[in-house]
Amino acid sequence: MNRRDFLKTAIASAGTVALPTAQARDPKQMPEKAVGMLYDSTLCIGCKACVAACKSANNMPPANDAPDLKKWNNANTWDTPLDISGYTLNVIKVYKEHDNASNKDQDYAFMKRHCLHCVDPSCVSVCPVSAMRKDTTTGVVTYNPDACIGCRYCVLGCPFSVPQFQYDTPFPRIQKCQFCEHLQKQGKLPACVDVCPTGASLFGDAKQLLEEAKRRLAKKSGETYVFPRGKLGSEERPPHEAQVPQYQQHVYGEKEAGGTQVIYLSGVPFQKLGLPTNLPDYSYAVVTESIQHTLYKGMIAPLALLGGLVYFAKRNADKHDEEDKS
């Protein structure tokens, strides 16, 4: 067998083994007591109180990455993050569309960007040292800096581009929203939800939040609806009464990438708000783990490949020796 035939056979064999098991691993299910968040973009007024509260609750420094502010030497005095980063876990972004001809008809929409706490998170799957973990009770995805080796596989593996690495410090960490787990343990709400004045960010049981989202989609545009604030099912805060908007008839996060515990409603197409809309209904971890487990089971495939490479290396070395002697 020559080199080309060997490589063709090896590739074909790997494909034969991997393809039937591409989704062999069962997808992980949401914990029974999983908590989550419903973000309703139509209720958001863009006040960014959630951004400030998140910074305060998680001891994050101010950010001023807007180019037009840097020239005024506003370093550490003005917080204007353009996106999530190693120092910003939560950000509100704005979408604006208007008629350039008349400049009268304008549409605005806001989008809250932070970790979606996937049901079957890729960041947990790819982490080789279990620095990324998913709580078996609440489903919250957390990060343990003491276990992290800085490989940044979680950064590459997240389909929502959430985990961020601190490149500008000698002792960097991965940063991401951990759903204010430290506050939840004290019986408090996540900081962003706690300060939201309209109920655009709503905390509660993940499954009940999905039911709430579908109730809103079932309402006719223009009807009056009582929007809860703070925690779903709690009477601690008065609700927010408003007319039902014209929703996009889709709950983002119900199925995307296997489902997420942070779900979205919007009156604007989700792709315009920066959310990826080409994701499969299953987690990428289902595919990657299945292929890895198949290829590395018993180390048979790596050993076979290594044996083939050693064979060709020795054969070529022997061939060169014979040529030198002649």
Side-chain angles (χ1 to χ4, degrees):
M1 178 182 291
N2 58 33
R3 183 184 308 174
R4 179 175 298 178
D5 291 338
F6 169 77
L7 292 176
K8 289 170 64 177
T9 303
I11 294 172
S13 299
T16 303
V17 172
L19 286 177
T21 59
Q23 295 191 50
R25 197 262 274 169
D26 291 334
K28 295 181 180 178
Q29 303 299 314
M30 187 184 298
E32 285 298 319
K33 296 183 179 180
V35 295
M37 179 187 297
L38 167 59
Y39 174 75
D40 191 332
S41 174
T42 67
L43 296 178
C44 184
I45 58 176
C47 68
K48 298 188 179 181
C50 57
V51 180
C54 177
K55 290 268 189 178
S56 177
N58 293 282
N59 299 315
M60 288 284 144
N64 64 327
D65 51 7
D68 57 336
L69 287 176
K70 285 184 178 180
K71 65 182 180 181
W72 297 107
N73 297 319
N74 280 334
N76 300 320
T77 62
W78 188 258
D79 192 67
T80 57
L82 300 180
D83 207 339
I84 57 175
S85 69
Y87 303 99
T88 300
L89 309 182
N90 164 43
V91 71
I92 294 292
K93 308 189 81 170
V94 62
Y95 160 80
K96 183 177 75 170
E97 184 177 78
H98 62 85
D99 184 350
N100 291 324
S102 65
N103 204 31
K104 293 181 180 179
D105 299 326
Q106 297 191 17
D107 290 325
Y108 293 87
F110 296 99
M111 175 50 58
K112 188 179 183 202
R113 176 158 160 72
H114 57 68
C115 180
L116 280 72
H117 298 277
C118 299
V119 174
D120 193 351
S122 295
C123 63
V124 174
S125 173
V126 300
C127 183
V129 293
S130 298
M132 287 290 183
R133 301 174 182 175
K134 185 172 180 67
D135 191 279
T136 56
T137 301
T138 65
V140 174
V141 179
T142 60
Y143 166 72
N144 179 9
D146 294 331
C148 183
I149 59 175
C151 67
R152 303 191 294 278
Y153 286 163
C154 57
V155 177
L156 298 174
C158 177
F160 303 102
S161 302
V162 167
Q164 302 290 311
F165 188 71
Q166 297 175 328
Y167 288 96
D168 58 347
T169 172
F171 301 103
R173 292 186 175 188
I174 295 291
Q175 294 289 2
K176 63 174 288 295
C177 160
Q178 301 187 62
F179 222 4
C180 288
E181 186 190 38
H182 61 297
L183 296 181
Q184 288 194 51
K185 289 180 178 178
Q186 302 173 29
K188 300 178 181 179
L189 295 174
C192 62
V193 175
D194 194 34
V195 298
C196 184
T198 64
S201 292
L202 183 65
F203 178 76
D205 178 277
K207 295 178 181 178
Q208 292 179 6
L209 288 172
L210 179 59
E211 295 173 358
E212 169 69 15
K214 292 184 176 181
R215 279 195 295 270
R216 297 182 188 185
L217 294 186
K219 294 291 182 179
K220 293 183 179 179
S221 177
E223 289 184 355
T224 300
Y225 190 78
V226 179
F227 295 91
R229 297 190 307 133
K231 183 177 182 179
L232 181 64
S234 173
E235 298 180 357
E236 293 183 2
R237 304 183 184 190
H240 173 73
E241 188 171 310
Q243 290 185 337
V244 175
Q246 185 67 49
Y247 283 115
Q248 295 289 310
Q249 291 297 308
H250 176 63
V251 181
Y252 189 93
E254 179 182 6
K255 295 182 179 180
E256 279 76 7
T260 60
Q261 291 176 215
V262 174
I263 55 178
Y264 293 92
L265 290 179
S266 172
V268 174
F270 291 105
Q271 63 268 25
K272 291 186 177 182
L273 299 181
L275 291 172
T277 55
N278 59 344
L279 299 177
D281 291 347
Y282 55 85
S283 169
Y284 289 120
V286 173
V287 177
T288 57
E289 284 188 26
S290 298
I291 294 176
Q292 289 171 353
H293 293 172
T294 299
L295 292 178
Y296 290 96
K297 185 176 182 180
M299 295 300 290
I300 295 176
L303 288 174
L305 179 59
L306 177 62
L309 294 175
V310 170
Y311 165 76
F312 282 110
K314 185 177 185 305
R315 192 194 68 171
N316 290 338
D318 294 341
K319 183 177 180 181
H320 288 309
D321 289 342
E322 292 177 359
E323 291 176 353
D324 292 339
K325 292 178 180 180
S326 62

